[in-house]
Amino acid sequence: MWTLWGFVALLAAAVQSHITYIEVRLPLEGTPSPPGSPWPLPQVYRPSDKLLEVDPNNFDIRSEAICCDIVDQAIKRYKKLLFPVNKTAESSKTKLKALDVEVEEYEDKAEHCGYPHHKSDEKYKLEIKDDGAAILKSKTVWGALRGLETFSQLLYHDEKAGSFFINATSIEDWPRFSFRGILLDTARHFQPMKVLKQNLDAMSYSKFNVFHWHLVDDQSWPYEMEVFPNLTDAAYHPKQIYTQENLREIIEYARLRGIRVIPEIDTPGHTQAIGKIFPKLLTPCYGEGGKGTSRHPDFAGFEMLNPMQNYTYDVMKEIFNETTRTFPDEYIHLGMDEVYYKCWESSPEIAEFMAKNEMKKVAEVEQHYVRRTLDSVKNLGAKYMIWQDPIDNGVKAAPDTLVGVWKDVYLDSKLLPWQTYMSRIVKHGYQLVLSAPWYLNYISYGEDWKKYYNIDPRDFEATDEDKDLIIGGEACMWGEYVDGTTLISRLWPRAGAVAERLWSSASVVDVESAKFRLDEMRCRMVRRGIPAAPILNGYCGGYDWDL
């Protein structure tokens, strides 16, 4: 692919980004990438050796879809991103004067142009011609966003020449998987608005399209609600909350970048924070001191939402109702993971409830809660995403349910490999989202991004028809040991490995060559204000000393 560029292009790459060996006796494997190499790699990518100059003072991005706020705002953003340094010289090469953006379908509703949906069309075609003409075509604004990002990556600055260049290139591109997510946990540590926006920017640069927002958990409830405004008393601090205005701001920031925001309200476990405000919601456990006492490490005094009382379902219905009204996405994530039974097993009230309802196993108590909650949310007109646990335990969910597969032996030696769970769950006919091998909060020394890159979501035993139920995956950054000081650099560019796996063709598997493009992407992100961590020894052109 790169032979057309020749030696000159490789020299130019050296002034853009550069990685080198760990030991001189261990030279880097793979093929170095030329400057302007895109990440994730497009489906059909035909670069040529015809070089065009782009003059910041005489270049424009044009579109008849400018009445659409998404296109309008994107063009304004990318005009700023394209030229991170000043041009210092002129070349004799053919000039690229403009990029024309054509969108076939878009909404024009008082300058507000839609919200991304489940399985939105993100296809685009990008042609940069020898004669200096460039055109980006897409059916939807979402495809236009992805194409603008690719165009921005093809453009590069040659420090020696002092000019910006782009190669004549033909691209036809679309994602391999429609669901490409990042999960952030803002309950274990509060993540500032600035960090959330930085992450959304980084997601858009890597063509992720779902922000899975794990808003609340045992440790804190930073989510401000109108129906129960006192819930934020369970936040870590009055300043560490997401106000209604903050929520709208993040949703809008994401929308303009083609990113859906799926909120997660996890129950019946992970509910200690809400229990601080509504103590009657939790189940009293029976320790040595009787009702409401702990038996560590088996359980605390009160755990899990109480599944026996209508009060529990009434309160949660109000929370789910407001959440589905606040967040425009058609899906809400209901959690449903890690329901530990020992508290319920200690309770004589639970035993009486089971006998009354002819239940023989405590697992049936969980199933009772899950079924009532799923029905309640469905009656609100929402669709839901859940973790795999209820399906593992025999619960039947709505046909359009999204099931997140998180279990893997790598996370807990008592669990099975994620492939085993995929083979089992896919038989139920639900759409699957894989996250199990992409827990990026697990860190190790060295190039751990390679193990994420080498995962294929379809690599398990099943028929091709069943595997078609896999709609994508998500990289997870759980927040026990990550706060605003570390989240971005720990997540990026490692999450980029997941991005390419979910977007690019299944045949894109050369991890050793990929590292050169990932390093270039990392340097690109640094230039754009994302403090992405290095992946090897080296430097980012002239930007390292400007930080």
Side-chain angles (χ1 to χ4, degrees):
M1 181 183 296
W2 311 118
T3 55
L4 290 173
W5 293 73
F7 183 64
V8 175
L10 290 177
L11 284 179
V15 300
Q16 295 298 307
S17 60
H18 180 73
I19 51 175
T20 187
Y21 48 77
I22 294 176
E23 297 284 352
V24 68
R25 56 188 171 80
L26 301 171
L28 297 184
E29 299 178 20
T31 304
S33 57
S37 297
W39 188 283
L41 197 67
Q43 297 282 346
V44 180
Y45 176 41
R46 301 187 184 98
S48 78
D49 58 356
K50 173 67 175 179
L51 201 60
L52 307 172
E53 184 186 350
V54 185
D55 183 351
N57 300 316
N58 295 287
F59 176 79
D60 196 15
I61 304 176
R62 306 177 300 211
S63 179
E64 292 183 356
I66 203 73
C67 57
C68 168
D69 63 341
I70 291 172
V71 176
D72 180 36
Q73 293 297 315
I75 288 175
K76 290 175 181 177
R77 284 199 312 275
Y78 280 101
K79 282 182 177 179
K80 293 180 180 179
L81 289 175
L82 288 176
F83 309 107
V85 296
N86 293 326
K87 172 191 170 186
T88 58
E90 189 90 9
S91 81
S92 59
K93 297 186 181 300
T94 302
K95 304 295 190 294
L96 181 66
K97 295 287 183 70
L99 171 67
D100 289 301
V101 180
E102 296 182 4
V103 180
E104 185 178 329
E105 299 175 2
Y106 60 92
E107 299 175 33
D108 182 13
K109 298 180 180 178
E111 298 184 354
H112 180 94
C113 199
Y115 179 86
H117 297 290
H118 184 51
K119 297 187 177 180
S120 289
D121 187 340
E122 297 173 283
K123 298 173 185 169
Y124 67 91
K125 292 184 179 180
L126 178 60
E127 290 283 345
I128 302 163
K129 301 179 181 179
D130 291 1
D131 61 4
I135 186 168
L136 167 62
K137 293 183 178 183
S138 65
K139 184 175 182 179
T140 69
V141 294
W142 319 118
L145 287 176
R146 306 310 172 216
L148 280 168
E149 176 57 38
T150 299
F151 177 83
S152 75
Q153 295 183 14
L154 299 178
L155 183 71
Y156 65 93
H157 180 249
D158 187 321
E159 291 180 352
K160 279 188 175 182
S163 297
F164 289 90
F165 296 104
I166 195 167
N167 282 71
T169 303
S170 175
I171 288 175
E172 294 180 46
D173 202 13
W174 62 91
R176 183 183 177 206
F177 294 101
S178 62
F179 189 110
R180 306 177 308 282
I182 295 286
L183 177 149
L184 292 189
D185 169 9
T186 58
R188 275 56 178 256
H189 280 96
F190 181 83
Q191 302 297 341
M193 289 287 288
K194 176 184 176 182
V195 172
L196 295 183
K197 288 181 177 180
Q198 273 190 319
N199 181 65
L200 288 169
D201 283 333
M203 287 175 64
S204 69
Y205 301 154
S206 295
K207 298 186 174 68
F208 281 102
N209 65 353
V210 178
F211 171 30
H212 175 176
W213 195 349
H214 188 85
L215 268 165
V216 298
D217 211 293
D218 283 332
Q219 293 76 14
S220 73
W221 186 288
Y223 170 26
E224 180 186 73
M225 305 195 73
E226 293 178 352
V227 65
F228 298 126
N230 59 330
L231 273 172
T232 51
D233 290 346
Y236 283 132
H237 189 277
K239 291 185 177 180
Q240 291 192 328
I241 65 172
Y242 301 109
T243 66
Q244 291 284 307
E245 182 180 353
N246 292 152
L247 298 174
R248 289 191 292 270
E249 190 175 343
I250 290 298
I251 292 167
E252 177 66 1
Y253 199 89
R255 180 187 74 88
L256 290 172
R257 288 154 181 79
I259 298 171
R260 303 161 56 199
V261 182
I262 298 181
E264 180 180 354
I265 308 296
D266 197 355
T267 66
H270 297 275
T271 48
Q272 287 296 305
I274 192 174
K276 294 175 183 176
I277 310 305
F278 293 100
K280 291 183 180 179
L281 284 181
L282 300 183
T283 306
C285 310
Y286 281 75
E288 294 181 0
K291 185 176 183 178
T293 61
S294 61
R295 190 179 75 206
H296 299 148
D298 292 336
F299 50 75
F302 297 84
E303 284 198 12
M304 307 297 166
L305 294 187
N306 190 331
M308 299 177 286
Q309 55 186 6
N310 289 331
Y311 171 68
T312 298
Y313 302 99
D314 293 340
V315 170
M316 293 312 303
K317 182 178 180 179
E318 292 295 324
I319 290 174
F320 293 138
N321 185 36
E322 180 171 330
T323 301
T324 58
R325 287 187 289 107
T326 300
F327 291 84
D329 201 86
E330 56 196 309
Y331 280 89
I332 179 176
H333 201 301
L334 301 177
M336 307 286 187
D337 63 314
E338 298 182 314
V339 179
Y340 300 117
Y341 294 157
K342 288 188 177 181
C343 173
W344 284 347
E345 289 172 341
S346 75
S347 168
E349 289 92 352
I350 290 288
E352 183 179 347
F353 177 78
M354 291 175 61
K356 181 179 178 181
N357 290 277
E358 298 182 348
M359 298 177 181
K360 296 181 179 180
K361 298 179 180 180
V362 177
E364 295 175 81
V365 177
E366 176 191 7
Q367 293 170 17
H368 172 82
Y369 172 83
V370 170
R371 289 193 185 99
R372 282 198 61 171
T373 300
L374 296 185
D375 288 344
S376 176
V377 171
K378 202 69 177 176
N379 290 335
L380 294 174
K383 298 177 182 179
Y384 48 77
M385 183 173 181
I386 56 176
W387 294 115
Q388 69 182 82
D389 305 52
I391 308 304
D392 289 342
N393 294 333
V395 172
K396 186 175 182 180
D400 55 6
T401 300
L402 305 185
V403 178
V405 177
W406 69 271
K407 295 180 181 179
D408 187 30
V409 66
Y410 175 75
L411 305 175
D412 187 334
S413 60
K414 297 177 183 177
L415 299 175
L416 301 171
W418 64 265
Q419 293 92 335
T420 303
Y421 294 110
M422 294 287 276
S423 295
R424 292 177 179 176
I425 298 173
V426 77
K427 297 182 186 303
H428 295 282
Y430 300 112
Q431 299 172 87
L432 301 186
V433 175
L434 178 64
S435 63
W438 291 321
Y439 270 39
L440 271 59
N441 49 293
Y442 282 66
I443 60 174
S444 58
Y445 187 77
E447 300 172 83
D448 64 347
W449 67 270
K450 289 184 176 180
K451 67 183 178 185
Y452 306 129
Y453 191 87
N454 285 325
I455 296 295
D456 189 323
R458 293 175 66 99
D459 184 21
F460 64 93
E461 292 294 326
T463 65
D464 287 342
E465 183 179 1
D466 283 343
K467 288 182 181 182
D468 288 341
L469 291 168
I470 304 162
I471 60 169
E474 61 181 11
C476 300
M477 182 55 71
W478 297 99
E480 291 90 343
Y481 305 102
V482 179
D483 67 6
T485 67
T486 56
L487 184 141
I488 298 297
S489 61
R490 189 165 297 179
L491 186 57
W492 301 98
R494 296 160 74 235
V498 184
E500 184 149 291
R501 184 53 52 238
L502 294 176
W503 180 281
S504 303
S505 168
S507 63
V508 179
V509 293
D510 184 352
V511 67
E512 296 303 335
S513 294
K515 67 174 175 283
F516 294 99
R517 284 187 300 108
L518 183 59
D519 178 61
E520 188 174 343
M521 181 62 177
R522 180 255 167 177
C523 292
R524 187 179 294 128
M525 296 176 83
V526 170
R527 291 196 296 273
R528 295 180 179 186
I530 306 297
I535 64 169
L536 265 176
N537 302 304
Y539 65 93
C540 284
Y543 298 97
D544 286 349
W545 48 82
D546 291 333
L547 294 178

